[in-house]
Amino acid sequence: MNKPATPSTPVVFTMLALLLVLSGLDQTILSTALPTIVGELGGRDLAPWVFSAYLLASTAVIPVYGNLADRLGPRPVLLTSVTLFAGGSLACALAASMPALVAARALQGLGGGGLMTLTMLATAALYPLPERGRRMGALGAAYGLSTLIGPLGGALLLQALPWT
């Protein structure tokens, strides 16, 4: 009989790290692609809001996610934030105008704020204190690297995939 996976398996930590990397990438990946997006959708005056909507929404929900995680546990709240993030990502891909893109980025930010916060809370809940510092350090490094490679990733995607 197979033994069920424990919460501290490498797969769980890897998934938490990937969620945090997604959040970090999403904050910076559009920086190189935004001029092309604005050229296609118009609405140059709304271009700064593509970033601001995400950052404002993600920052605003951090205390809400913390409170909900205290009351409900980090897992269900993290799954909710993943759903919001994925829905926002899909809405971004389907946006046909700059106002729609800004609104989609706000939705994506509502989920992204949870990804940032809840991965740390889940790690604290899953791993014992002697192991926690190493895990949090690895998450911090993964997040930092993801924000650094985001602009390069955006440029590579823009070159590799046809925009129009």
Side-chain angles (χ1 to χ4, degrees):
M1 185 165 166
N2 289 339
K3 184 176 156 184
T6 62
S8 60
T9 62
V11 173
V12 171
F13 184 73
T14 300
M15 299 318 299
L16 290 172
L18 286 174
L19 289 174
L20 191 60
V21 164
L22 276 176
S23 176
L25 280 173
D26 212 59
Q27 291 182 27
T28 59
I29 201 164
L30 285 178
S31 62
T32 51
L34 192 57
T36 302
I37 293 169
V38 168
E40 198 61 36
L41 298 179
R44 192 178 97 156
D45 57 322
L46 292 176
W49 283 102
V50 173
F51 295 105
S52 299
Y54 182 92
L55 291 173
L56 287 170
S58 65
T59 302
V61 296
I62 288 172
V64 174
Y65 279 128
N67 185 303
L68 288 172
D70 285 345
R71 294 185 333 171
L72 306 172
R75 185 173 189 255
V77 184
L78 181 58
L79 292 174
T80 300
S81 73
V82 168
T83 303
L84 285 171
F85 184 82
S89 297
L90 179 61
C92 286
L94 298 175
S97 67
M98 284 299 281
L101 181 60
V102 169
R105 288 284 289 169
L107 176 61
Q108 197 176 38
L110 293 175
L115 298 183
M116 289 187 295
T117 305
L118 296 163
T119 52
M120 297 294 186
L121 291 175
T123 301
L126 291 173
Y127 297 97
L129 196 53
E131 193 177 344
R132 199 173 300 155
R134 182 173 55 84
R135 300 280 181 172
M136 294 287 193
L139 288 176
Y143 179 79
L145 286 173
S146 70
T147 60
L148 286 174
I149 64 170
L152 176 61
L156 291 174
L157 284 172
L158 198 56
Q159 286 181 344
L161 302 173
W163 177 254
T164 56

